Amino acid sequence: MTDTADIQAGLPTAARRHLPDAPFLVAARGGIPERVPVWFMRQAGRSLPEYRAVREGVPMLAACFDPELVREVTLQPVRRHGVDAAILFSDIVVPLVAAGVDLDIVAGTGPVVAEPVRTPDAVAALPTLDPAAVAPVAEAVRLLTAALGDTPLIGFAGAPFTLASYLVEGGPSRNHEHTKALMYSDPETWHALLDRLADITLTFLRAQLAAGVDAVQLFDSWAGALSERDYRQYVLPHSARVLSGLADAGVPRIHFGVGTGALLGAMREAGADVVGVDWRTPLDEAVRRVAAAPGEFAAGPVVQGNLDPAVLFAGDEAVRAHAERIVAEGRSADGHVFNLGHGVLPQTDPDVLTRLVELVHRLPVR
Amino acid sequence: MTDTADIQAGLPTAARRHLPDAPFLVAARGGIPERVPVWFMRQAGRSLPEYRAVREGVPMLAACFDPELVREVTLQPVRRHGVDAAILFSDIVVPLVAAGVDLDIVAGTGPVVAEPVRTPDAVAALPTLDPAAVAPVAEAVRLLTAALGDTPLIGFAGAPFTLASYLVEGGPSRNHEHTKALMYSDPETWHALLDRLADITLTFLRAQLAAGVDAVQLFDSWAGALSERDYRQYVLPHSARVLSGLADAGVPRIHFGVGTGALLGAMREAGADVVGVDWRTPLDEAVRRVAAAPGEFAAGPVVQGNLDPAVLFAGDEAVRAHAERIVAEGRSADGHVFNLGHGVLPQTDPDVLTRLVELVHRLPVR
């Protein structure tokens, strides 16, 4: 384990913009914003024709390391939809690639790791991440904060468990059997692996913070594959080390996973200022679970979510009814950032998203 | 909607074997069996070399309509593992195919429906199921009950929501967006569709019961994609009609879905004698949720599950620890049928399953 203090050294405090009225940041800190802030996970992506146009012929990983392209793709949904936050265009595996792990993103499949990591030796051989290796990402952040005006920029990284699943399985997996086999059969190697990945994640997020992001979201896409007991034993300590290692930056830390209704309290406890909620748990119930979690936080429960992305295929009337219910339920929190309960699906009509932003902005905050 | 009374006509009461001491049936009825009964979802399948041998060159749907092949494949795991129940080898889409829906099971993809069902006209045009069309399945049941000795046979069907998702999406779907779009945008058509599918499911299960199955399991594979609110509004009434339409047979009705921790009470309420539990919810917590559900049942809470199929890749020591915990937690129920929390994964070593059966049989019932 790298000393977290080493990773934490050198965060410039003057890097960030001062955006005291940005609705996203106000809500994320538990204050009362001028309107209900809204952004969408995967808002920069295949649902937008302008995204498909600029990505034409550019492989995913090449795109993620091209500062100008990251800038353009990240800005597209802000321009089109008027969302209240931009999220850095990146991919879960970017810090692994930057560290030197041999993997590629194969269209139609996802990340493919050349040599799956399943032994103590393979874990010991994992590289660390030199912040210089993500300099193009940091450059993209600087280009973006210069271009975004008053719109906050959210940094982004995958959580140790989700990264581990890619490395252990060798690619995307439905059942995570090799990952869980390692976890259950060799806890020592498991914890060593997650410790390494926590270092990489922390280094990556701190590089984004040093470059000026206004908030961060830690995606534990697959945490919902675990029981709460296993999450607490095998995952939470490592995600907590990442989140606590960001505390000095003073920016909102969002923590999100899918199918995590039973984990919402634990995910708060890991050190999340904002807990993302998928569509399976009503938002007011999610607020109760988050509020009940122990820990020292700057504000009471703040939640993000939780419209089912499939609702966007059901017509304006259904979208309106669901959005109104969610905003009403979100009023039981100290703050609510409207979002989907998972990423924008590729076939989504972008005009539906634009109209949804307008609708959410018209709804009363309290 | 077909009159349920019509579907219910003609169930011969003398068809079933008398198996008063079969541990699976005793536990499923909330009694105290001589040993903890155990079977595995997808126990008849790709994990077994003898299965791969007899399926060689035989398409899935052809296999499901071949009584001799169904008999052989269903018996294989009983012979090999000594499990306490056989489950009829079939597929979720078998009753749809028998009814005349144009679909095929494509290797590596799953069911592919020629014309997805997304309009009122398409719903109105859906065929009904003539029990004669599943005569080969009924014949397989008769062959099996003759061959199984004292081992019970579990009948099997997909629940209306899961069937609807195949029909509306046109195949397997991760996000069920077309299904949910129909559900949210046109509830009338949605309920008409699920009503049709409940008829088909009920007809199929009653044909199996008439031929002699000793229990039934209703698989709602994808119910976990819904919030409890939506499950109750859009799905539960139809699954309840299926389950209540089987009550006169007097056999245990098992109701199972994946990722349904928040739905366990509602799935009991639908009319389930036994509620299947995946691995995300501790079994004692699942018992509390099932026990709290309203309804008239012959016994108190009975649960089935809940070993993570991925644990079978983690070595005997991990399997033992998990199995012992699950059996201990299961003692808080009136009855516990040991099972996995989802189907056997294709890469599972069958010897691990055999040793697990031996282990569970050695553990004390109370």
Side-chain angles (χ1 to χ4, degrees):
Chain A
M1 167 173 169
T2 310
D3 186 337
T4 302
D6 290 345
I7 297 178
Q8 287 189 314
L11 192 66
T13 51
R16 241 167 311 290
R17 293 172 293 165
H18 183 58
L19 301 171
D21 300 324
F24 164 75
L25 291 172
V26 172
R29 295 194 160 104
I32 298 181
E34 64 188 32
R35 62 174 183 254
V36 177
V38 49
W39 69 279
F40 305 116
M41 291 185 280
R42 286 196 192 270
Q43 63 189 12
R46 279 186 288 165
S47 68
L48 300 183
E50 59 269 35
Y51 171 85
R52 298 193 297 268
V54 299
R55 273 291 313 282
E56 183 82 47
V58 185
M60 182 65 186
L61 282 174
C64 292
F65 285 94
D66 178 337
E68 280 295 341
L69 190 55
V70 170
R71 173 188 175 280
E72 169 58 21
V73 168
T74 302
L75 288 173
Q76 284 174 348
V78 181
R79 282 189 208 120
R80 180 189 268 264
H81 302 311
V83 285
D84 294 288
I87 182 152
L88 183 70
F89 177 75
S90 187
D91 186 274
I92 293 266
V93 298
V94 159
L96 299 178
V97 172
V101 174
D102 184 2
L103 70 80
D104 197 10
I105 299 180
V106 178
T109 298
V112 176
V113 180
E115 292 179 38
V117 176
R118 298 178 185 171
T119 63
D121 286 351
V123 170
L126 274 177
T128 56
L129 176 60
D130 178 349
V134 290
V137 176
E139 175 61 15
V141 169
R142 283 186 290 267
L143 294 174
L144 277 161
T145 54
L148 273 165
D150 291 342
T151 303
L153 176 63
I154 305 171
F156 148 69
F161 174 71
T162 292
L163 293 180
S165 179
Y166 281 113
L167 286 181
V168 179
E169 302 295 335
S173 168
R174 210 172 133 183
N175 301 301
H176 313 285
E177 61 259 48
H178 297 294
T179 311
K180 290 177 176 175
L182 179 64
M183 187 170 95
Y184 292 129
S185 66
D186 186 353
E188 193 178 338
T189 301
W190 173 261
H191 285 295
L193 171 62
L194 263 71
D195 192 53
R196 294 279 191 138
L197 295 173
D199 282 346
I200 289 175
T201 299
L202 188 50
T203 299
F204 186 44
L205 285 172
R206 289 186 70 81
Q208 296 177 39
L209 284 163
V213 299
D214 306 291
V216 292
Q217 176 153 326
L218 188 66
F219 278 88
D220 211 349
S221 314
W222 294 336
L226 298 172
S227 67
E228 184 186 357
R229 175 173 43 213
D230 288 344
Y231 179 80
R232 288 184 174 277
Q233 182 170 352
Y234 297 108
V235 175
L236 191 153
H238 306 285
S239 295
R241 192 159 70 80
V242 173
L243 291 167
S244 69
L246 306 170
D248 63 323
V251 308
R253 297 160 296 176
I254 312 169
H255 197 187
F256 171 75
V258 183
T260 49
L263 307 180
L264 295 172
M267 291 179 78
R268 164 73 156 179
E269 213 178 310
D273 303 297
V274 182
V275 176
V277 185
D278 85 354
W279 65 91
R280 292 173 178 90
T281 309
L283 205 53
D284 47 0
E285 172 59 24
V287 170
R288 283 189 285 276
R289 295 181 193 179
V290 170
E296 296 280 322
F297 296 96
V302 180
V303 290
Q304 176 177 282
N306 70 338
L307 183 69
D308 188 337
V311 170
L312 301 175
F313 294 76
D316 284 351
E317 190 48 39
V319 172
R320 188 193 55 71
H322 283 258
E324 289 181 351
R325 173 181 54 74
I326 287 166
V327 169
E329 290 172 355
R331 292 194 191 108
S332 65
D334 276 24
H336 171 216
V337 175
F338 193 98
N339 205 316
L340 304 182
H342 198 178
V344 174
L345 297 171
Q347 305 302 323
T348 305
D349 175 354
D351 290 346
V352 171
L353 291 169
T354 305
R355 290 198 295 275
L356 174 55
V357 171
E358 291 165 0
L359 167 69
V360 171
H361 284 168
R362 283 198 306 270
L363 296 174
V365 173
R366 289 290 171 204
Chain B
M1 167 173 170
T2 311
D3 188 335
T4 302
D6 291 343
I7 297 177
Q8 288 188 313
L11 192 64
T13 51
R16 240 166 313 289
R17 293 171 294 164
H18 183 59
L19 302 170
D21 300 323
F24 165 75
L25 291 172
V26 172
R29 294 195 161 107
I32 298 181
E34 64 189 33
R35 63 175 182 253
V36 178
V38 48
W39 69 279
F40 305 117
M41 292 186 279
R42 286 195 191 272
Q43 61 188 13
R46 280 185 289 164
S47 69
L48 300 183
E50 60 268 36
Y51 171 85
R52 297 193 297 269
V54 298
R55 273 292 312 283
E56 183 81 48
V58 185
M60 182 63 185
L61 281 174
C64 293
F65 284 94
D66 178 338
E68 281 295 340
L69 191 56
V70 170
R71 172 187 176 282
E72 169 57 22
V73 168
T74 301
L75 289 173
Q76 284 173 347
V78 180
R79 280 188 210 121
R80 181 189 267 262
H81 302 311
V83 284
D84 293 288
I87 182 153
L88 183 71
F89 178 75
S90 186
D91 187 274
I92 293 266
V93 298
V94 159
L96 299 177
V97 171
V101 174
D102 185 1
L103 69 80
D104 197 10
I105 299 180
V106 178
T109 299
V112 175
V113 180
E115 293 180 36
V117 175
R118 298 178 184 170
T119 63
D121 286 351
V123 170
L126 275 177
T128 55
L129 176 60
D130 178 349
V134 289
V137 176
E139 174 61 15
V141 169
R142 283 186 290 268
L143 294 174
L144 277 161
T145 53
L148 274 164
D150 290 342
T151 303
L153 176 64
I154 305 171
F156 148 68
F161 174 71
T162 291
L163 292 179
S165 179
Y166 281 112
L167 287 179
V168 179
E169 303 293 335
S173 167
R174 210 172 134 182
N175 301 299
H176 313 284
E177 61 259 47
H178 297 293
T179 311
K180 290 176 175 175
L182 180 64
M183 187 171 94
Y184 292 130
S185 66
D186 186 353
E188 192 178 338
T189 300
W190 173 261
H191 285 295
L193 171 61
L194 263 71
D195 191 54
R196 293 280 191 136
L197 294 172
D199 282 345
I200 289 174
T201 299
L202 188 51
T203 299
F204 186 44
L205 285 172
R206 289 187 69 82
Q208 295 177 41
L209 284 164
V213 299
D214 306 291
V216 293
Q217 176 154 326
L218 188 66
F219 277 88
D220 212 349
S221 314
W222 294 335
L226 299 172
S227 68
E228 184 185 356
R229 175 173 43 214
D230 288 345
Y231 179 79
R232 287 183 175 278
Q233 183 170 351
Y234 297 108
V235 175
L236 192 154
H238 305 286
S239 296
R241 192 159 70 79
V242 174
L243 291 167
S244 70
L246 305 170
D248 63 323
V251 308
R253 297 160 296 176
I254 312 168
H255 197 187
F256 172 76
V258 183
T260 48
L263 307 181
L264 294 172
M267 291 178 77
R268 163 74 157 178
E269 213 179 309
D273 302 298
V274 182
V275 176
V277 184
D278 86 355
W279 65 90
R280 293 173 177 89
T281 309
L283 205 53
D284 48 359
E285 172 60 26
V287 170
R288 284 190 284 276
R289 294 181 193 179
V290 170
E296 296 280 323
F297 295 97
V302 180
V303 290
Q304 177 176 280
N306 71 338
L307 183 69
D308 189 337
V311 170
L312 301 175
F313 294 77
D316 283 352
E317 190 48 40
V319 172
R320 187 192 55 71
H322 283 258
E324 287 181 352
R325 173 182 53 73
I326 288 166
V327 169
E329 290 173 356
R331 292 194 191 108
S332 66
D334 277 24
H336 171 216
V337 175
F338 194 98
N339 205 317
L340 304 182
H342 199 177
V344 174
L345 297 172
Q347 305 302 320
T348 305
D349 175 355
D351 290 346
V352 171
L353 290 170
T354 304
R355 289 198 295 275
L356 175 56
V357 171
E358 290 164 0
L359 167 69
V360 171
H361 283 168
R362 282 197 306 271
L363 296 174
V365 172
R366 287 292 170 206

